[in-house]
Amino acid sequence: MTDVAVDISNVTKMYGSFTALKDVSLAIQDNEFFTLLGPSGCGKTTLLRTIAGFEDITKGAIRLYGDNIADLPPNKRPVNTVFQQYALFPHMNVTDNVKFGLLRLGQDEATASARVGEVLELVQLTQFADRLPSQLSGGQQQRVALARALAPNPKVLLLDEPLSALDLKLRQAVRLELQQIQHETGITFIFVTHDQEEALTMSDRIAVIADGRLQQVGSAREIYEAPSNKFVADFIGETNLIDVTVTDISNGNATCTLPSGATFTCPAADGAQKGAGHLSVRPERVAMTKPAKSLLQGKASRQIYLGTDMHVEVTLDDQEVVTVRVQNSETTHIPSIGETVGLNFEAGAARLLVD
Amino acid sequence: MAKKLDIRRFPGFLPVTYLCLFLLYAPLIIVMIYSFNDSNSITNWGGLSLRWYVDVFWGVESEKFKTAAMNSLLIAVAAAITSTSIATMAATAMLRAGKFRGKSIGFALINLPLMVPEIVTAVALLIFFSMIGFTTGYLTILLAHIVFCIPFAYLPIAARMQSIEEVYEQAALDLYASRLDAFRLILLPLMTPGIISGFLLAFIISLDDFIITNFVKGAGIETLPTAIFGAVKQGIKPNIMAISTLLLLVSVVFVTLSYLVGRMGQNKK
């Protein structure tokens, strides 16, 4: 049991009659980079704030290495937060900001100063120790916020969309840095984001949340390649949702009828049922061929240029649109608008979802 | 297009502006100029001199004015300190206690004294003090001043506090600070410009007050405004202009300070 860092069991959070979290249960492992991913307003930040202690929960329990912390105030919980707007104390310099938590824990000045030196080195800000937050760039402020939260050596570090205020290039660099720091410190990170790319590249495991409910928990590969429901498939990356009629499900495989009338067998998500359903096929896993030998047929209706790749939208006979991703190279044949094309994908590329 | 919509291009803009400025400031400027008059008359110009300033500080009536000024100063300092402390606590409760029953009533009660006609407050206070058997004197003046200074101190303090996001205090709590530490080490320093601004405003409001003071002051106790009024009743002498000019100067300095401190705090943010 000790290898579970944060155990969230059956947590429900109500604001008046609005339910922000519905019966969420989640076990976050020790030394894990765990991401809460979902669209804005889905409850991911609320969940993080219940762990930090800024929101109390209506029902359920939150255990930190076995101890129930749900009723403790934030200053009694051995977790620290990196806030979205950083919340650096504007009247204190970098050193005093980082030292704040250490002094409140009762460390003496010398011990605290030594620790400040350590963490500033970790985030490479040693030469900025005397600056005020307003004299730092956004990226530097973000690192101070990280250093301040890491300094007291929390059991769990909570990060509330800490990269959302940075520009793209910086965000990509900081992602790697954050991962590196998580490895070096061995502290459990719980990271909140609405950016799926961020989640996929950084996390050991991801929990996808929508409407206050947990949708799926798994590694980046699992949730991308084996989404359990329509929401997850649609939210993580891009996907084609193809209407099918499921005729049989056995041993985790579904046999279904495609819009073209062809019969197709592919893996099914747990809980998928017979009848009308949706197949998820990623645009990069769909191939264009001659119509005669294909699963689906349609007319190319739109081309979208993406730089390295190109999206070709193919409108099927029943007016459904399937997107195909093809590499931009001189050898690939890009169908012109109106050209009839056939679409093929392998059984492993498709997945029957729970609606 | 934008230039045509500019308010400076509206017909009559300049004359109206000058008229307003003239009405506002002409009397003040005349008083200031005539305070340097070398004549015994308040209307005839007799050349430039500082004799009325000398008269204020060393003349026959100087003792009376000095005592009054000292009273005004002490009362203003005490009233400003007390009302600023109360206003700071009120603002903390209003803006940091979340939603609570009676919040809007509380807000109204804090700010109502701004709307109540001063004469009503004055009469009410006088009746109240005599009903509870307080002898009018320093204490009644001080209590009255504390009361009407609270909303003036409250406004800049609350405005400042409103601009400080709660996330700073949350960060402090997250970093193991007690609630008191979060207030003492984070919220209070961030609020300092607002508090200083509120203090200065309360100070000047107390220093300038006449109506309420005149009602609740005891016999023989004068503040500067009541002393000036008393002197004027016996006929305006040019020394009144000198005192008025000095008082005006003090007011302008304090209001400017209050404004600058408030603005400085905002720039830092």
Side-chain angles (χ1 to χ4, degrees):
Chain A
M1 270 311 278
T2 47
D3 56 355
V4 175
V6 181
D7 181 28
I8 295 160
S9 51
N10 308 103
V11 166
T12 294
K13 168 75 188 171
M14 317 270 295
Y15 292 105
S17 62
F18 173 74
T19 313
L21 294 170
K22 286 174 210 157
D23 200 27
V24 174
S25 290
L26 197 58
I28 296 161
Q29 305 294 316
D30 184 38
N31 195 8
E32 189 172 32
F33 198 122
F34 193 89
T35 298
L36 303 173
L37 174 65
S40 36
C42 72
K44 57 190 190 301
T45 296
T46 306
L47 184 57
L48 194 81
R49 290 171 64 83
T50 61
I51 302 173
F54 299 126
E55 309 280 352
D56 35 72
I57 54 178
T58 314
K59 261 186 240 154
I62 300 174
R63 287 184 199 85
L64 187 75
Y65 292 93
D67 304 324
N68 192 353
I69 57 164
D71 295 325
L72 293 179
N75 50 12
K76 297 273 191 285
R77 300 187 188 199
V79 298
N80 290 126
T81 309
V82 178
F83 292 88
Q84 187 171 10
Q85 321 86 322
Y86 314 141
L88 299 176
F89 306 132
H91 57 301
M92 294 184 186
N93 66 17
V94 170
T95 303
D96 290 339
N97 261 284
V98 178
K99 206 188 277 176
F100 187 87
L102 302 173
L103 296 181
R104 301 285 88 65
L105 282 173
Q107 289 191 8
D108 61 77
E109 192 64 35
T111 320
S113 296
R115 178 64 182 153
V116 170
E118 262 173 55
V119 286
L120 286 186
E121 200 162 323
L122 184 71
V123 298
Q124 298 160 22
L125 280 177
T126 313
Q127 68 271 41
F128 299 105
D130 298 328
R131 298 257 187 109
L132 285 174
S134 56
Q135 297 167 313
L136 298 174
S137 72
Q140 289 164 342
Q141 290 182 20
Q142 196 269 336
R143 297 219 294 267
V144 177
L146 182 65
R148 186 177 71 174
L150 282 171
N153 225 330
K155 287 188 173 171
V156 173
L157 186 74
L158 308 172
L159 302 104
D160 185 7
E161 307 211 22
L163 309 185
S164 57
L166 306 178
D167 60 52
L168 182 67
K169 285 274 177 209
L170 195 56
R171 217 182 313 160
Q172 287 170 338
V174 176
R175 271 182 212 166
L176 297 175
E177 226 174 296
L178 270 183
Q179 241 180 336
Q180 180 83 28
I181 287 170
Q182 196 268 326
H183 273 284
E184 279 174 34
T185 56
I187 293 172
T188 307
F189 277 33
I190 304 179
F191 185 88
V192 162
T193 183
H194 63 265
D195 182 333
Q196 39 118 350
E197 197 186 321
E198 221 163 83
L200 294 179
T201 51
M202 295 168 75
S203 328
D204 293 323
R205 282 196 307 151
I206 298 167
V208 183
I209 301 174
D211 291 332
R213 281 181 206 275
L214 207 55
Q215 304 291 322
Q216 187 173 2
V217 183
S219 68
R221 187 176 285 272
E222 279 163 6
I223 63 162
Y224 186 77
E225 294 186 5
S228 62
N229 63 29
K230 214 169 128 185
F231 176 84
V232 176
D234 206 25
F235 186 71
I236 313 293
E238 284 174 87
T239 198
N240 293 300
L241 295 171
I242 300 168
D243 292 329
V244 294
T245 311
V246 185
T247 52
D248 185 45
I249 297 181
S250 59
N251 300 328
N253 281 313
T255 308
C256 45
T257 313
L258 297 176
S260 59
T263 305
F264 185 73
T265 303
C266 70
D270 288 345
Q273 285 171 355
K274 283 194 210 176
H278 287 96
L279 278 192
S280 160
V281 190
R282 300 285 179 192
E284 70 270 19
R285 306 289 291 268
V286 185
M288 286 184 290
T289 57
K290 299 219 164 63
K293 292 191 260 175
S294 63
L295 288 168
L296 297 167
Q297 299 79 36
K299 283 188 168 67
S301 52
R302 203 168 166 204
Q303 298 175 339
I304 302 157
Y305 181 75
L306 302 170
T308 55
D309 292 307
M310 190 133 189
H311 272 173
V312 178
E313 288 183 4
V314 176
T315 307
L316 306 184
D317 298 337
D318 64 345
Q319 298 307 312
E320 235 183 297
V321 175
V322 175
T323 305
V324 186
R325 193 178 181 111
V326 288
Q327 216 166 25
N328 249 337
S329 79
E330 287 174 22
T331 53
T332 22
H333 167 71
I334 312 260
S336 42
I337 307 286
E339 191 178 328
T340 306
V341 291
L343 300 175
N344 262 343
F345 41 86
E346 287 167 12
R351 188 172 168 83
L352 178 70
L353 302 174
V354 177
D355 264 6
Chain B
M1 267 304 277
K3 267 194 176 165
K4 277 186 188 160
L5 289 172
D6 193 329
I7 193 164
R8 281 173 295 185
R9 303 220 160 209
F10 282 13
F13 176 79
L14 268 187
V16 171
T17 308
Y18 286 134
L19 181 68
C20 291
L21 287 175
F22 178 79
L23 288 175
L24 277 172
Y25 291 106
L28 288 178
I29 289 168
I30 288 169
V31 164
M32 284 169 73
I33 293 172
Y34 271 81
S35 71
F36 296 102
N37 192 357
D38 194 25
S39 155
N40 278 326
S41 154
I42 57 161
T43 46
N44 298 328
W45 182 253
L48 204 64
S49 130
L50 286 173
R51 62 177 277 212
W52 296 114
Y53 286 91
V54 174
D55 184 74
V56 165
F57 286 99
W58 294 283
V60 267
E61 288 179 309
S62 67
E63 275 315 307
K64 191 176 91 188
F65 283 128
K66 274 183 194 166
T67 317
M70 194 46 87
N71 286 344
S72 272
L73 198 68
L74 290 177
I75 288 168
V77 168
I81 290 175
T82 318
S83 60
T84 306
S85 311
I86 295 172
T88 305
M89 291 188 271
T92 310
M94 292 303 293
L95 296 169
R96 284 301 192 264
K99 283 184 188 152
F100 57 89
R101 269 165 65 105
K103 186 172 175 171
S104 25
I105 292 177
F107 183 77
L109 287 178
I110 292 169
N111 290 296
L112 200 61
L114 291 175
M115 265 79 81
V116 175
E118 225 189 318
I119 187 73
V120 175
T121 311
V123 172
L125 279 169
L126 182 63
I127 295 171
F128 175 71
F129 284 138
S130 69
M131 271 171 78
I132 62 170
F134 260 45
T135 358
T136 48
Y138 279 107
L139 189 63
T140 49
I141 300 179
L142 182 59
L143 285 173
H145 279 220
I146 290 170
V147 170
F148 70 73
C149 281
I150 289 174
F152 289 98
Y154 177 82
L155 289 178
I157 294 172
R160 175 72 190 172
M161 197 185 254
Q162 214 145 29
S163 75
I164 302 170
E165 289 174 71
E166 275 186 68
V167 72
Y168 294 116
E169 290 142 86
Q170 288 178 353
L173 289 182
D174 187 63
L175 292 162
Y176 314 109
S178 61
R179 288 201 166 267
L180 181 66
D181 277 349
F183 178 78
R184 190 172 62 91
L185 299 170
I186 305 302
L187 189 57
L188 208 54
L190 293 178
M191 274 171 55
T192 307
I195 293 175
I196 294 176
S197 188
F199 174 85
L200 294 174
L201 206 57
F203 176 84
I204 211 66
I205 292 293
S206 162
L207 196 71
D208 286 355
D209 180 74
F210 170 71
I211 299 179
I212 293 175
T213 314
N214 199 40
F215 272 73
V216 300
K217 79 184 173 67
I221 299 170
E222 301 286 350
T223 64
L224 202 48
T226 61
I228 292 174
F229 183 72
V232 168
K233 272 198 295 192
Q234 291 145 25
I236 303 176
K237 281 206 312 177
N239 64 346
I240 295 301
M241 299 203 193
I243 295 179
S244 302
T245 306
L246 289 172
L247 198 54
L248 178 70
L249 198 70
V250 173
S251 291
V252 168
V253 166
F254 273 84
V255 171
T256 311
L257 266 179
S258 162
Y259 171 75
L260 287 180
V261 169
R263 209 180 53 164
M264 185 184 74
Q266 263 155 28
N267 283 352
K268 220 163 74 186
K269 213 184 140 241

